[in-house]
Amino acid sequence: MSARILYVDDEDDIREIAQMSLELEPRFEVRSCSSGAEALAVAADWQPNLILLDVMMPDMDGPETLKRLAASPLTASIPVAFITARTQTHQVEHYLVMGAVGVIAKPFDPLALAAEVGKLLALRAR
């Protein structure tokens, strides 16, 4: 099973590391965006199987991006997981209540990122 993964983060270096990490998994086709607004357009057009979304971004943050994705018929069914340094229990619960399918802690382990994403995709497939 191949999967399209959209990685959204305003920090160039983190985006680059994440993309390289995810591309270690040959079944993943990966694209990245540097803003929530860009993510809305790419997600609607490309229809990824999973969006990995940074919480803290300028202009439109991760939670606002998730709201807009959920509000659009073109993107409402695409699962979104947050990638964030804010991983206290109450914060994670808040993200899940908002509709995220999971939360990956930053800084993430580049060698484990593809496996974590694989688990999220497997949970969705059930």
Side-chain angles (χ1 to χ4, degrees):
M1 169 205 97
S2 66
R4 292 175 169 190
I5 311 297
L6 179 59
Y7 188 90
V8 186
D9 197 312
D10 60 305
E11 294 182 51
D12 295 343
D13 52 343
I14 294 177
R15 218 173 38 250
E16 209 170 298
I17 291 166
Q19 183 148 358
M20 289 189 296
S21 302
L22 291 166
E23 287 174 342
L24 293 172
E25 169 53 67
R27 297 171 305 156
F28 290 170
E29 186 181 344
V30 184
R31 290 192 187 171
S32 65
C33 296
S34 59
S35 70
E38 187 185 352
L40 296 176
V42 172
D45 183 52
W46 191 50
Q47 293 294 302
N49 299 94
L50 179 67
I51 298 171
L52 298 174
L53 187 56
D54 184 21
V55 169
M56 302 284 290
M57 294 188 293
D59 303 323
M60 188 189 311
D61 66 4
E64 179 61 26
T65 304
L66 174 60
K67 269 186 221 153
R68 294 189 190 192
L69 287 164
S72 167
L74 290 173
T75 54
S77 65
I78 301 171
V80 175
F82 283 119
I83 297 212
T84 182
R86 296 180 170 201
T87 55
Q88 292 180 350
T89 306
H90 72 278
Q91 292 167 317
V92 170
E93 287 170 359
H94 178 68
Y95 301 140
L96 297 175
V97 166
M98 290 176 67
V101 296
V103 177
I104 295 173
K106 261 185 174 178
F108 54 82
D109 175 351
L111 298 176
L113 185 59
E116 286 189 63
V117 168
K119 284 180 198 164
L120 288 172
L121 289 166
L123 284 174
R124 280 298 288 189
R126 280 191 205 145

